[in-house]
Amino acid sequence: MATIKDRYAIVGVGESERSKNSGRTPLHLALDAARAALKDAGLEAREIDGFMSYSENDSCTSHQLATYLGARPKYVKDIMGGGSSTEMLIADAIGLIETGQVNTVLIYRAMNGRSGVRMGGGGWDVNMLQGAMDGGSFFIPYGAGGPGQWFGLFATRHMQQTGLTHEHLGHVCVSFYEHAQRNPKAFFYGKPLSMEEYLKTPSLSYPFNKHDFCLESDEANAIIVTSAEKAKDCKSRPVYIMGIEARRTVSHAHYWTNLDEVASDFVAPSLYKKAGVTPQDIQVASIYDCFSWVVLRQLEAYGFAARGEVGDFVASGNLKMGGKLPTNTAGGMLSEGYTHGMNNVLEIVRQIRHEYKGTDRQVENCEIGICTGWSGPDIAGAMILRN
Amino acid sequence: MSYQKPIPLKTQDNQPYWDAADRHELVLQKCETCNSYNHPPGPACSKCGSTELSWESQGSAITGTIYSYVVSYRPFLPGFQDDLPTIIVVVQLDNLKEVKIIGNVLACPPEEVKIGMPVKMTWQDITEDRALPQWIQA
Ligand SMILES: [Zn+2]
């Protein structure tokens, strides 16, 4: 079997406007993002022969997007999914290109995540929730109705076992908010967060306060994947995929039977093996950040700090510009925007291209980066990218 | 006043559990093939896929320790607004450590809850014919 290392690339990235109330349909947002990605790549819509998206039944279809771009693709695919879906769809796209079925694939996530269907919970029909979620009747009647509580159960135990403190969570938030201050498109641009303010913010769902939660936004993002060969014809500087890996572990209802294990623990070893690098080679990161704690747990899983030392790692400023691993340099989902992880993909592509060269947003000389996607303890995906 | 919070939905896969809860008893689904306990219960064993399943009563004197918890200061679901903060726990059963059950610790100040705290199961009668397994400090 052929290795895919360095044989596929992301050649275009683009986004729609970001807001709390777009007043437009996900299809309109998706069209904006797709056109921006096409422009970035220097491709025409008719050159895209595969369209893929993921959603939680809150988006438009790939068929619709292709139609209104005037494209006639060979292949459309829409999956149900959140974080980690970007990586899974990129892997699908590579498989399709590798077997000669398509040449170039556009992958997008479009959502009115604030004005439409909100992930943050509240206002849901409880009987619908109990039925829709596997094993829902074993946690919904107890008030465990939102991701803040589900992830919190993981966080509390992990923090107790490894000595992570509330202040360590705060370092993740403060670092990412600091990045957002250099990104005029970030939601929290102009709204810095100090540790003092973080620590005095009351708990929403202990161990989390509102800063530990990702934000909710209306926006669409798109990326274009093609072969290294075809990438030569594109206008943009390609970002090559060194390795990509995903893993599904336990189902939703069984999340809480083992809080000590997450899917990233399984993804990491084979990802590094495929890419042929070690954590020491990684110079920039986009780490899925639906909650601050999720970043800490992944830093452990992906080998950036040993279990028990992750708190010191972030407290030393390593996630900031100039640190060992500048992470979520546009602000991440905690402070830039939220598209189930895809905005973090756009940012790492731009960093590895050195698109911010000459500004204080550019991570100096970064050649290799990691991007992780994670919708929950059940599923993880990640990729390693290079210039 | 009637009960405002979500009432556990009985389904094809979980009915014996909730029927037992209504009788103030804990029953667990057990896999006859790999001998593991399946909680929450399902249409097949979540460890080996076997459909050779049975239900085993654990009686009504259930003890455990807190495996993890969160304290919710906002009602993410309707009905919880009147008794915030809500302590949501995962309890590891003392006799069957592989089994973890989610619930609330009732009548417990949030600053007292911690991992490893011993608790025992109690049943809250929430309607005329339904009861909800819950936990109190042991
Ligand atoms: Zn079994």
Side-chain angles (χ1 to χ4, degrees):
Chain A
M1 198 179 63
T3 168
I4 64 134
K5 188 180 176 185
D6 301 335
R7 295 178 50 232
Y8 295 90
I10 297 174
V11 294
V13 294
E15 73 262 51
S16 72
E17 248 184 51
R18 172 179 291 138
S19 72
K20 290 271 184 195
N21 188 0
S22 71
R24 307 169 71 215
T25 66
L27 175 58
H28 278 263
L29 299 176
L31 282 163
D32 286 355
R35 288 177 186 129
L38 288 165
K39 187 169 177 236
D40 181 46
L43 290 169
E44 299 292 330
R46 61 185 154 71
E47 294 176 84
I48 305 294
D49 45 13
F51 285 83
M52 298 181 179
S53 78
Y54 61 97
S55 81
E56 300 280 356
N57 272 341
D58 56 0
S59 188
C60 60
T61 64
S62 294
H63 173 76
Q64 285 178 298
L65 179 66
T67 298
Y68 292 106
L69 287 171
R72 297 291 180 269
K74 293 177 180 166
Y75 195 92
V76 289
K77 176 175 194 164
D78 303 295
I79 63 165
M80 282 281 287
S84 79
S85 299
T86 322
E87 287 77 12
M88 289 186 165
L89 289 178
I90 292 172
D92 283 0
I94 290 172
L96 287 166
I97 302 169
E98 180 78 18
T99 52
Q101 298 179 76
V102 299
N103 292 309
T104 306
V105 178
L106 186 144
I107 301 168
Y108 70 96
R109 172 74 173 113
M111 61 198 289
N112 281 321
R114 180 59 182 81
S115 69
V117 180
R118 297 176 62 181
M119 296 296 149
W124 288 334
D125 178 277
V126 292
N127 285 345
M128 183 277 286
L129 263 188
Q130 286 195 60
M133 305 182 76
D134 193 22
S137 60
F138 292 87
F139 51 91
I140 297 293
Y142 300 104
Q149 297 155 328
W150 306 330
F151 281 93
L153 291 170
F154 274 81
T156 308
R157 183 168 173 86
H158 181 248
M159 290 167 73
Q160 188 253 9
Q161 290 199 320
T162 63
L164 277 177
T165 64
H166 195 232
E167 191 165 336
H168 291 140
L169 300 184
H171 281 292
V172 175
C173 301
V174 168
S175 302
F176 293 4
Y177 276 63
E178 191 176 300
H179 299 323
Q181 306 319 309
R182 300 186 196 98
N183 175 8
K185 288 183 176 174
F187 253 129
F188 290 146
Y189 179 68
K191 290 179 181 157
L193 176 68
S194 67
M195 182 60 82
E196 189 187 10
E197 193 187 336
Y198 172 85
L199 290 173
K200 72 173 190 221
T201 305
S203 290
L204 201 53
S205 178
Y206 174 89
F208 300 145
N209 69 42
K210 68 177 182 184
H211 302 296
D212 299 299
F213 283 66
C214 63
L215 45 80
E216 298 172 310
S217 55
D218 293 2
E219 62 175 299
N221 298 160
I223 66 171
I224 298 172
V225 178
T226 195
S227 63
E229 198 167 69
K230 169 94 177 160
K232 289 180 203 148
D233 302 335
C234 294
K235 189 183 83 180
S236 58
R237 183 170 176 175
V239 168
Y240 296 95
I241 297 164
M242 300 179 79
I244 191 161
E245 180 76 15
R247 170 86 180 220
R248 176 159 193 93
T249 55
V250 293
S251 68
H252 192 275
H254 301 89
Y255 264 17
W256 298 281
T257 52
N258 181 1
L259 296 177
D260 298 334
E261 193 174 273
V262 294
S264 305
D265 295 333
F266 299 92
V267 166
S270 46
L271 175 69
Y272 286 119
K273 192 167 174 233
K274 282 179 175 174
V277 296
T278 68
Q280 288 72 41
D281 298 315
I282 309 281
Q283 296 149 322
V284 60
S286 279
I287 305 283
Y288 196 80
D289 56 336
C290 52
F291 293 93
S292 58
W293 169 79
V294 169
V295 176
L296 297 168
R297 183 64 181 81
Q298 289 174 95
L299 291 172
E300 179 185 309
Y302 288 103
F304 295 106
R307 188 173 168 85
E309 293 168 19
V310 178
D312 288 343
F313 183 82
V314 298
S316 308
N318 283 318
L319 304 183
K320 298 186 179 189
M321 300 299 279
K324 276 186 195 153
L325 189 74
T327 296
N328 296 14
T329 47
M333 297 197 293
L334 292 178
S335 55
E336 184 197 33
Y338 177 81
T339 51
H340 270 133
M342 204 184 271
N343 57 308
N344 287 342
V345 180
L346 268 59
E347 173 64 8
I348 199 144
V349 167
R350 288 168 175 160
Q351 283 290 351
I352 293 174
R353 282 177 179 175
H354 302 166
E355 200 164 294
Y356 305 116
K357 203 175 170 73
T359 76
D360 60 0
R361 285 183 69 180
Q362 182 62 50
V363 175
E364 288 296 320
N365 303 319
C366 63
E367 304 296 326
I368 299 179
I370 190 170
C371 182
T372 76
W374 192 21
S375 68
D378 55 343
I379 192 166
M383 58 185 166
I384 293 176
L385 304 165
R386 74 162 176 84
N387 195 326
Chain B
M1 203 177 98
S2 65
Y3 188 70
Q4 300 295 312
K5 295 175 191 170
I7 294 169
L9 280 182
K10 291 181 181 178
T11 68
Q12 184 180 356
D13 297 324
N14 70 26
Q15 176 132 11
Y17 181 94
W18 294 114
D19 284 350
D22 296 339
R23 304 189 301 269
H24 294 199
E25 180 187 338
L26 176 69
V27 304
L28 293 172
Q29 192 179 49
K30 191 176 182 187
C31 173
E32 300 291 346
T33 304
C34 74
N35 282 318
S36 62
Y37 290 86
N38 219 21
H39 185 79
C45 173
S46 64
K47 302 198 176 61
C48 77
S50 168
T51 52
E52 299 295 314
L53 303 167
S54 63
W55 291 89
E56 188 181 277
S57 176
Q58 308 300 316
S60 296
I62 309 298
T63 62
T65 59
I66 292 181
Y67 177 70
S68 198
Y69 69 94
V70 294
V71 185
S72 198
Y73 291 87
R74 196 183 105 180
F76 287 88
L77 294 168
F80 288 88
Q81 63 279 359
D82 296 332
D83 59 353
L84 297 172
T86 308
I87 303 173
I88 300 166
V89 291
V90 181
V91 174
Q92 179 169 39
L93 298 192
D94 287 337
N95 291 339
L96 293 171
K97 298 224 184 287
E98 66 179 289
V99 178
K100 320 262 184 357
I101 298 178
I102 291 182
N104 304 124
V105 181
L106 306 178
C108 174
E111 55 278 8
E112 279 181 30
V113 62
K114 58 176 193 291
I115 290 170
M117 186 174 98
V119 289
K120 64 180 181 189
M121 191 174 270
T122 182
W123 284 266
Q124 219 181 351
D125 292 313
I126 57 177
T127 70
E128 240 171 60
D129 54 359
R130 296 298 304 273
L132 188 65
Q134 287 287 24
W135 301 93
I136 52 170
Q137 287 170 274

